[in-house]
Short mmCIF file of all heavy atoms in Angstrom, two decimals:
data_model
loop_
_atom_site.label_atom_id
_atom_site.label_comp_id
_atom_site.label_asym_id
_atom_site.label_seq_id
_atom_site.Cartn_x
_atom_site.Cartn_y
_atom_site.Cartn_z
N PRO A 34 -6.73 -8.42 10.42
CA PRO A 34 -7.16 -8.42 9.07
C PRO A 34 -6.28 -9.18 8.06
O PRO A 34 -6.39 -9.03 6.88
CB PRO A 34 -7.19 -6.94 8.67
CG PRO A 34 -6.16 -6.34 9.59
CD PRO A 34 -6.13 -7.13 10.82
N ARG A 39 4.03 -15.87 9.86
CA ARG A 39 5.39 -15.94 10.54
C ARG A 39 5.33 -15.17 11.85
O ARG A 39 4.57 -14.17 11.94
CB ARG A 39 6.45 -15.31 9.63
CG ARG A 39 7.83 -15.16 10.17
CD ARG A 39 8.78 -14.70 9.08
NE ARG A 39 8.30 -13.53 8.40
CZ ARG A 39 8.91 -12.34 8.46
NH1 ARG A 39 10.03 -12.22 9.04
NH2 ARG A 39 8.37 -11.33 7.82
N ARG A 51 16.25 -0.18 16.64
CA ARG A 51 16.16 -1.25 15.64
C ARG A 51 15.12 -0.80 14.61
O ARG A 51 14.62 0.32 14.64
CB ARG A 51 15.76 -2.56 16.28
CG ARG A 51 16.75 -3.08 17.29
CD ARG A 51 16.56 -4.56 17.53
NE ARG A 51 16.73 -5.32 16.31
CZ ARG A 51 17.41 -6.48 16.22
NH1 ARG A 51 17.97 -6.92 17.29
NH2 ARG A 51 17.48 -7.15 15.12
N GLN A 60 2.31 -6.93 6.19
CA GLN A 60 1.51 -6.33 7.28
C GLN A 60 1.95 -6.99 8.55
O GLN A 60 2.31 -8.18 8.57
CB GLN A 60 0.03 -6.57 7.04
CG GLN A 60 -0.50 -6.04 5.73
CD GLN A 60 -1.94 -6.50 5.53
OE1 GLN A 60 -2.85 -6.11 6.31
NE2 GLN A 60 -2.18 -7.32 4.56
N LYS A 81 4.32 9.28 13.77
CA LYS A 81 3.45 9.03 14.94
C LYS A 81 4.12 8.03 15.82
O LYS A 81 4.52 6.97 15.31
CB LYS A 81 2.09 8.51 14.41
CG LYS A 81 0.90 8.88 15.27
CD LYS A 81 -0.37 8.56 14.45
CE LYS A 81 -1.61 8.78 15.21
NZ LYS A 81 -2.78 8.54 14.39
#
Side-chain angles (χ1 to χ4, degrees):
R39 177 171 52 116
R51 299 199 59 137
Q60 303 172 65
K81 208 167 177 177

